[in-house]
Each structure stands twice: as structure tokens, then as C-alpha cells.
């Protein structure tokens, strides 16, 4: 059979995800010709990779979504050439796969008296049409649809595509093209089917789009593609990952990488494996990475505990220490005489007592930029909280970022995509007050302004972010390249308020919350170090607490509005006899 594939690609941040290369690699043998149509920018290196997997590449502006891109591909091939194919397949990159070999599917449907077919259909629904909430006609879903030669030669098919316009809203594309094409061809007498007919679905379903909302049903019915958005819509996305591993040989790491790159860090946490058990690995890590540690010392009685850990490091590293007085600097030097880490000290820098650990750290960014990975630490104390909270918080950080140091170095050494490693959410934020209670509106606005000021390319709305993924206490391991925009800002001490600081809401607190998102913006992933037995991150628990808090607040506000409404109605009822009584009194007095 002579087959043509028109494959449409789009990445809102430009570039090309590995799952697309995998997909093309595993289906290219089916087609006589593949045309790759990109609605976004791809690099020269990526073009070379794609060129090995297809016969032609069309680069175009992101106008009109996939239907306008398919139209351009069809017209460039010309109708005379298209009619020489046994079938033409239209596909886009909104799905992962193939989970299973799709050639038997082609062979099966090519032997049947069909005119066009797809992987899944969307059954008729009384409402739900995007943009209008009107009825949705039954249609073959356009992420994968194959047309046989009889359709290709028809006037109705050509007329449909020639009338496709550049739409600026995706709702219009769905209304005018995706949901109508099946019906237009069906009225002409063309026969169609799908691999999984969702009209005969079993089980309780509440949404007609099974491919997006019920990926488990699709996988169990041998649909070879899984919609990307299904990992966002399905309530238990990690179950879908496990199901894919059980049912196929598809590398789920491709899914995790794509989700991590395209969706914000918290969404990725719900889908992907971001947790690393804090195991103590006694073996010397094999690495050529150039490593540095920055330690800001303000509380002298706390700094020496770090050197107990530093002395046990089995790899080479350089140590940079910042502190705020010459006296402290001398005392630090005297105390270090009994520690082997003293030989690792690159420099002791005296800074002004302003900006706590963050501004001193940023001020030596040029020195730290020469290293592959850097650990940022400081002598933490919580003067505004009870003493036990600060002590336990500090110990948790040490247990998660210093004791398993060999494991951390190995992660950076073996996975170049990891840009930052943070500790698990401290226990004090698990109970009973969730983290966002102090995540105030003014700071959300400040974070959004900081994001824009750094000209970050990815979209994030901090004003609706309920639980930020962050290193509470601002201690973490990172690649300088991942946080380069923060250092390029050259924030000065004058830009932060002097001590004593408020408990929250300052620029320093914004920086504490934004570093993971900066790494994500630069195309890096993150990991959270957790206790060995822990399976679920405290950030997820925290989100649930916040959601319950919001629900309770909404219910409380609704009750207040109801009571106010009742009081108002009662006052209106009482007002009438009161007016009459006042008139009688006035008459008597006269």
C-alpha cells in the first residue's frame, strides 16, 4: 500500500520533545512518505534529527492550528499527487505513542469496505461544544484520522479543505472543522469506523471525550496512542503511567520529560516521579563535575555542624563562606583548624548584614558560575517561631541535602536534565497550617513582576498558584545555568529592606519561592529529596489542605451573604410598620 502521513507539530515554547522523535521512529516504516509540518520554531540540530525520520519538512507560523497546517500540507502535495496514494493519514503531536504496533491496524481497515477511519470517536453529546456549549455531533477525533483514495478523489473532501480558514481561536477550529468533517463526509455516503468505538463504552463515564478523560479505557482497548492532556485530566495520572508499563514497552520517561517541560512544576509533580529517597550511599561518587558549596554564616553557634558533614564528603569541592563581620570571619577561621574541610575553603567574604543569606549568595554569583553544581546553605534559625520548629527544620534539611550527598551528586552526574534538587516540605508545614496561609497576594504580584523582569519565556500565573514548589528555608543544590536569570538581575542590598524583616512578603521570600520555576523556565527538571519511607510529597498534602481551606472560606462567605440577605429582607419588612408608627406620633404631637 502507498501511504502518506502529514504530521503536525507544535510546541508553545518552541523546540522538539523526544517523544515526537520516538513516535516518528516507530511508525515511519508504515508510510511511503512522511511530511513533518511544524507550527513552532525548531533548532537546526532538531531539523537534522527530524529529516532522518521523514521526507519533507514544512516550517510555518503558528496560525490556524493543526487544520490550517494540514491544509497547507495537502495543497503543497497537490491534489493530483494525493490521489496517487492508497490513503493519507493526518496526525498531530497531541498524543504519546505508539504503545502498540499500528501496522496491523492499517492492514485490518484497508481490507474492509471503509472510506475513512480513526483511533477514537467522540459520541454525540447534548451539550459541551467548546465556546458555545451547544450539542457535539459524533465525529472521528482528529489527532489521528486516515482517508482512503476514494475520499481523496472526492470533490466534497477537497472543498472542505480549500474552505479551511486561519482561525485565531481553537474553539472555532473545533466547531467548524474537527466536529464537522465526519458529518460532511458521512452525508456524502462515505463509511467510517474507529479502532475503539466509544459509543459502546463500558463503565461509568461523565465526559464524551474518552481519549482525553478516560485513557485507561483506551489503553485497555488497545488504542496505541495516549492523549497528552489525559495526564492532566485523569484524576490518577501515575496509574496511567503504570498501566502503560504493564501493557506495553513504551518508555514512560518520554511522557514524564514532556510533561515536566510543558507544564508547571506542581502539575508535573502530580504526574511524574520527582521524589528521591534520601539514601546514604557510602560509595565514592564517580564524577568529573566541578562542585562548589556556598555557606552563609550569621549564627556562629550553628555553623560548625555543617563542617561535620563537609568533612565526610568524599569528592573534591570548593567552599565559599560569606559572613557579615570581620570578627566572625576570624572566629570561623579559628574554629576550622580542627576540620579537614578547612583545606577546601576558597574564600571567606565579608558582606553587609542585609538580605540574609540570599543577597550574599547572589553577590558571589560570578565566582559560582564557573562550577557545574553548587550547594547553597546558611545557618538557619527561626527567631519569630518556637525554638523547636527551627531546630527540627534545620535537621530535616541536613538529613535531606547533606547526609545523602553521594546520592545527590550521582543524580546530577547521570541526569543532565536535573537543574535543582530541593528538600521535602518541612514537617511544620504539614500540620496544621498549610504553606499558602502566608503566601499573600502582594507577594504573588511581586513574584509575577519578578518573572516578567527576568524575561522568562514560559507562562506561569503566580497569582493563582495555590501551593508553590519551593525550597523552604532557601537551601538546595543547583546548576548555575538553571538560575542564570536570577544572577543576571544583579539585585543589590539596597533593594531589600533592613532587619528586622517581616515574617513574609519581601523580595527575599519571593526569591525563595521562584528558584524551582526559574530552573523549569530554562528547560531543566527538579527533584525533591524525601525520607526513605515517604511515598507522597508534603506539597501534595499541602495543596489538599489549601483546597479545603478555600472551600471552607467559600462556604463561610456564602453563609454570611445568606445571613446578610435575610437581615436585609427582615429590615424591609419591619420598615413599613415603623414608618406608619412614626406618622401617627407626628400627627398626635401636632
Amino acid at each position: 500500500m502507498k501511504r502518506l502521513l502529514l504530521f503536525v507539530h507544535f510546541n508553545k515554547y518552541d523546540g522538539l520533545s523526544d517523544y515526537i522523535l520516538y513516535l516518528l521512529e516507530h511508525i515511519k516504516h508504515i508510510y511511503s512518505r512522511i511530511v513533518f509540518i511544524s507550527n513552532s520554531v525548531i533548532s537546526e540540530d532538531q531539523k537534522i534529527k527530524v529529516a532522518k525520520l521523514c521526507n519533507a519538512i514544512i516550517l510555518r507560523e503558528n496560525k490556524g492550528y493543526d487544520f490550517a497546517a494540514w491544509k497547507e500540507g495537502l495543497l503543497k502535495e497537490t491534489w493530483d499527487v494525493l490521489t496517487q496514494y492508497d490513503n493519507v493519514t493526518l496526525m498531530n503531536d497531541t498524543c504519546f505513542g505508539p504503545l502498540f504496533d499500528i501496522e496491523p491496524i492499517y492492514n485490518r481497515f484497508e481490507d474492509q469496505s471503509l472510506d475513512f477511519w480513526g483511533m477514537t470517536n467522540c459520541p454525540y453529546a447534548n451539550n459541551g461544544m467548546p465556546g458555545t456549549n451547544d450539542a457535539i455531533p459524533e465525529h472521528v477525533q482528529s489527532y489521528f484520522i486516515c482517508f482512503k483514495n476514494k475520499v481523496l478523489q472526492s470533490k466534497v473532501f477537497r472543498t472542505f479543505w480549500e474552505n479551511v480558514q486561519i482561525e485565531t481561536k481553537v474553539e472555532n477550529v473545533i466547531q467548524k472543522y474537527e466536529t464537522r468533517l465526519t458529518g460532511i463526509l458521512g452525508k456524502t455516503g462515505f463509511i467510517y469506523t474507529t479502532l475503539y468505538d466509544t459509543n459502546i463504552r463500558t463503565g461509568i463515564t461523565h465526559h464524551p471525550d474518552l481519549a482525553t478523560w478516560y485513557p485507561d479505557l483506551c489503553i485497555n482497548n488497545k488504542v496505541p496512542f495516549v492523549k497528552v492532556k489525559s495526564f492532566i485530566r485523569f484524576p490518577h495520572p501515575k496509574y496511567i503511567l503504570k498501566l502503560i508499563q504493564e501493557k506495553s514497552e513504551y518508555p514512560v520517561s518520554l511522557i514524564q520529560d514532556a510533561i515536566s517541560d510543558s507544564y508547571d512544576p506542581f502539575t508535573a509533580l502530580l504526574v511524574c516521579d520527582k521524589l528521591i529517597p534520601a539514601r546514604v550511599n557510602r560509595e565514592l561518587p564517580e564524577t568529573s563535575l566541578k562542585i562548589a558549596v556556598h555557606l552563609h554564616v550569621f549564627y556562629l553557634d550553628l555553623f560548625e555542624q555543617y563542617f561535620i558533614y563537609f568533612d565526610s564528603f568524599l569528592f573534591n569541592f570548593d567552599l565559599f563562606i560569606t559572613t557579615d563581620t570581620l570578627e566572625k570571619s576570624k572566629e570561623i577561621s579559628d574554629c576550622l583548624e580542627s576540620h579537614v574541610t578547612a583545606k577546601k575553603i576558597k574564600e571567606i567574604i565579608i558582606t553587609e548584614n542585609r538580605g540574609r543569606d540570599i543577597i550574599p549568595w547572589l553577590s558571589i554569583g560570578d565566582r559560582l558560575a564557573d562550577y557545574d553544581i553548587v550547594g547553597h546553605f546558611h545557618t538557619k534559625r527561626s527567631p519569630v517561631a518556637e525554638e523547636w520548629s527551627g531546630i527540627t527544620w534545620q535537621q530535616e534539611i541536613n538529613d535531606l541535602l547533606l547526609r545523602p550527598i553521594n546520592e545527590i551528586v550521582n543524580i546530577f552526574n547521570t541526569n543532565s536534565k536535573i537543574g535543582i534538587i530541593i528538600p521535602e516540605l518541612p514537617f511544620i508545614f504539614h500540620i496544621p497550617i498549610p504553606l499558602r496561609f502566608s503566601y499573600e497576594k502582594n507577594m504573588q504580584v511581586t513574584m509575577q513582576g519578578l518573572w516578567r523582569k527576568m524575561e522568562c519565556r514560559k507562562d506561569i500565573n503566580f497569582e493563582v498558584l495555590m501551593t508553590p514548589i519551593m525550597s523552604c528555608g532557601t537551601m538546595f543544590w543547583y546548576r548555575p545555568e538553571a538560575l542564570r536569570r536570577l544572577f543576571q538581575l544583579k539585585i543589590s542590598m539596597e533593594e531589600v529592606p533592613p532587619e528586622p524583616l517581616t515574617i513574609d512578603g519581601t523580595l527575599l521570600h519571593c526569591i525563595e519561592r521562584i528558584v524551582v520555576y526559574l530552573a523549569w523556565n530554562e528547560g531543566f527538571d527538579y527533584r525533591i529529596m524525601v525520607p526513605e519511607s515517604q511515598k507522597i510529597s508534603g506539597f501534595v498534602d499541602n495543596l489538599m489542605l489549601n483546597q479545603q481551606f478555600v472551600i471552607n472560606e467559600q462556604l463561610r462567605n456564602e453563609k454570611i451573604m445568606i445571613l446578610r440577605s435575610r437581615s436585609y429582607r427582615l429590615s424591609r419588612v419591619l420598615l413599613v410598620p415603623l414608618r406608619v408608627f412614626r406618622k401617627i406620633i407626628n400627627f398626635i404631637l401636632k
Side-chain angles (χ1 to χ4, degrees):
M1 302 296 288
K2 191 176 180 182
R3 305 175 181 129
L4 168 67
L5 171 66
L6 299 181
F7 184 90
V8 172
H9 158 260
F10 172 71
N11 186 312
K12 65 179 179 178
Y13 300 125
D14 294 327
L16 189 71
S17 296
D18 288 341
Y19 83 89
I20 295 171
L21 297 174
Y22 179 94
L23 190 155
L24 293 173
E25 175 68 37
H26 286 75
I27 65 173
K28 66 178 183 178
H29 65 283
I30 296 171
Y31 305 100
S32 307
R33 177 175 172 82
I34 296 177
V35 179
F36 183 87
I37 310 169
S38 181
N39 283 351
S40 54
V41 177
I42 58 176
S43 68
E44 291 300 321
D45 290 342
Q46 291 166 339
K47 288 179 190 175
I48 293 172
K49 292 179 181 179
V50 171
K52 295 177 181 179
L53 303 171
C54 63
N55 303 95
I57 298 175
I58 299 175
L59 302 178
R60 63 188 302 276
E61 288 186 69
N62 181 29
K63 291 184 177 181
Y65 300 93
D66 49 3
F67 270 81
W70 281 320
K71 174 183 178 179
E72 185 170 329
L74 290 167
L75 296 183
K76 281 191 175 182
E77 289 294 299
T78 75
W79 293 114
D80 289 340
V81 172
L82 289 171
T83 55
Q84 297 175 22
Y85 287 96
D86 293 295
N87 56 62
V88 172
T89 300
L90 306 182
M91 186 179 181
N92 61 35
D93 65 352
T94 62
C95 50
F96 299 112
L99 307 187
F100 319 107
D101 186 6
I102 65 173
E103 188 168 20
I105 302 172
Y106 272 88
N107 295 334
R108 169 184 162 189
F109 288 140
E110 284 167 348
D111 289 340
Q112 296 181 17
S113 298
L114 299 170
D115 299 307
F116 66 101
W117 58 274
M119 291 295 167
T120 53
N121 61 330
C122 184
Y124 174 83
N126 291 323
N127 53 55
M129 177 69 77
T132 64
N133 201 35
D134 292 337
I136 302 175
E138 180 182 341
H139 62 278
V140 178
Q141 293 184 292
S142 62
Y143 68 91
F144 188 105
I145 185 167
C146 179
F147 304 96
K148 290 188 179 182
N149 185 269
K150 185 178 177 181
V151 176
L152 300 175
Q153 295 190 50
S154 69
K155 182 179 179 180
V156 66
F157 184 75
R158 298 184 185 188
T159 301
F160 173 87
W161 287 104
E162 287 168 354
N163 288 332
V164 168
Q165 303 296 314
I166 300 293
E167 301 291 343
T168 58
K169 294 182 179 181
V170 69
E171 293 89 349
N172 293 342
V173 175
I174 296 171
Q175 293 167 21
K176 297 168 68 173
Y177 307 130
E178 180 177 6
T179 59
R180 291 185 62 192
L181 177 56
T182 300
I184 290 171
L185 295 178
K187 287 179 181 177
T188 310
F190 290 119
I191 301 171
Y192 70 92
T193 191
T194 55
L195 178 65
Y196 177 30
D197 184 359
T198 57
N199 284 299
I200 57 173
R201 64 192 183 276
T202 57
I204 299 173
T205 57
H206 304 284
H207 198 285
D209 183 3
L210 264 66
T212 299
W213 292 85
Y214 300 93
D216 56 326
L217 298 180
C218 294
I219 295 169
N220 288 327
N221 282 275
K222 290 295 183 178
V223 176
F225 299 105
V226 181
K227 295 286 286 182
V228 174
K229 284 187 178 179
S230 67
F231 288 92
I232 310 304
R233 301 284 188 255
F234 193 73
H236 193 352
K238 290 183 179 178
Y239 168 74
I240 301 303
L241 289 176
K242 185 178 180 181
L243 189 63
I244 290 172
Q245 288 178 309
E246 292 175 353
K247 301 286 186 177
S248 76
E249 297 180 357
Y250 187 82
V252 297
S253 60
L254 296 176
I255 298 173
Q256 294 178 326
D257 288 345
I259 296 293
S260 295
D261 184 62
S262 298
Y263 292 89
D264 69 272
F266 198 99
T267 300
L269 176 63
L270 298 175
V271 178
C272 309
D273 295 326
K274 302 295 184 188
L275 308 186
I276 302 294
R279 302 187 184 95
V280 178
N281 185 352
R282 302 296 181 186
E283 296 182 8
L284 176 67
E286 296 181 7
T287 181
S288 60
L289 295 175
K290 191 177 178 183
I291 303 172
V293 174
H294 168 243
L295 175 65
H296 181 67
V297 178
F298 182 76
Y299 298 107
L300 285 173
D301 59 321
L302 298 179
F303 92 92
E304 197 168 3
Q305 64 176 292
Y306 281 99
F307 286 85
I308 297 173
Y309 291 99
F310 295 161
D311 287 348
S312 67
F313 285 5
L314 300 176
F315 50 85
N316 291 323
F317 69 98
D318 291 333
L319 177 62
F320 294 85
I321 297 177
T322 55
T323 190
D324 61 320
T325 67
L326 180 60
E327 291 73 22
K328 287 182 182 179
S329 173
K330 291 178 179 178
E331 191 165 343
I332 291 169
S333 298
D334 292 340
C335 288
L336 291 181
E337 291 181 359
S338 60
H339 292 276
V340 297
T341 303
K343 298 177 182 179
K344 305 290 185 181
I345 295 178
K346 193 78 172 177
E347 197 173 354
I348 298 180
I349 305 125
I350 299 173
T351 65
E352 183 182 341
N353 181 27
R354 194 159 175 170
R356 297 197 174 176
D357 61 294
I358 293 178
I359 299 303
W361 165 55
L362 295 179
S363 70
I364 63 170
D366 293 341
R367 298 173 174 89
L368 300 176
D370 294 332
Y371 294 86
D372 296 310
I373 61 172
V374 177
H376 169 64
F377 298 91
H378 60 95
T379 52
K380 176 167 180 55
R381 181 168 280 157
S382 301
V384 296
E386 295 182 20
E387 185 177 359
W388 69 267
S389 65
I391 293 173
T392 57
W393 190 344
Q394 178 69 73
Q395 188 57 54
E396 287 175 37
I397 292 174
N398 293 347
D399 289 342
L400 296 174
L401 294 184
L402 292 174
R403 288 184 71 250
I405 184 60
N406 292 346
E407 188 76 13
I408 290 171
V409 172
N410 281 331
I411 293 169
F412 280 112
N413 194 49
T414 57
N415 191 341
S416 61
K417 293 181 179 179
I418 304 302
I420 187 168
I421 296 178
I422 65 172
E424 166 63 338
L425 190 71
F427 178 75
I428 60 172
F429 289 126
H430 287 235
I431 52 125
I433 303 175
L435 181 63
R436 189 179 181 266
F437 283 18
S438 60
Y439 187 42
E440 298 179 0
K441 188 73 175 179
N442 65 323
M443 193 167 71
Q444 293 171 310
V445 173
T446 303
M447 288 180 71
Q448 204 68 53
L450 193 61
W451 192 257
R452 288 193 294 267
K453 188 176 181 180
M454 289 186 282
E455 298 180 345
C456 295
R457 66 189 181 93
K458 291 190 175 181
D459 299 325
I460 184 74
N461 186 354
F462 291 106
E463 296 183 32
V464 299
L465 188 64
M466 192 166 287
T467 296
I469 300 294
M470 58 180 282
S471 175
C472 295
T474 324
M475 292 185 241
F476 44 81
W477 291 91
Y478 69 98
R479 296 185 195 271
E481 185 183 356
L483 303 184
R484 64 180 181 86
R485 291 178 191 262
L486 180 59
F487 288 96
Q488 289 171 353
L489 272 186
K490 302 295 182 183
I491 297 173
S492 65
M493 290 192 176
E494 289 70 27
E495 294 181 67
V496 299
E499 297 289 345
L501 293 182
T502 56
I503 191 171
D504 208 345
T506 70
L507 177 62
L508 301 179
H509 294 101
C510 290
I511 293 172
E512 177 187 34
R513 286 158 171 79
I514 211 169
V515 289
V516 171
Y517 297 85
L518 287 176
W520 168 66
N521 181 73
E522 300 302 318
F524 289 98
D525 202 355
Y526 74 95
R527 292 293 183 267
I528 303 173
M529 299 300 294
V530 298
E532 283 194 64
S533 60
Q534 189 168 319
K535 303 298 183 182
I536 300 176
S537 172
F539 289 102
V540 177
D541 293 335
N542 191 272
L543 175 65
M544 294 174 67
L545 283 171
N546 276 319
Q547 289 174 334
Q548 188 59 52
F549 171 76
V550 170
I551 292 171
N552 291 341
E553 280 291 289
Q554 290 173 343
L555 291 173
R556 190 177 74 87
N557 291 336
E558 287 175 6
K559 288 179 180 178
I560 291 174
M561 292 299 294
I562 290 171
L563 289 173
R564 286 177 176 173
S565 175
R566 288 174 178 172
S567 297
Y568 176 76
R569 291 198 299 270
L570 180 61
S571 67
R572 298 296 297 176
V573 171
L574 294 175
L575 190 59
V576 175
L578 186 61
R579 285 175 178 170
V580 174
F581 179 74
R582 185 179 296 144
K583 286 182 179 180
I584 294 172
I585 295 297
N586 289 336
F587 177 77
I588 293 172
L589 291 175
K590 286 179 180 180

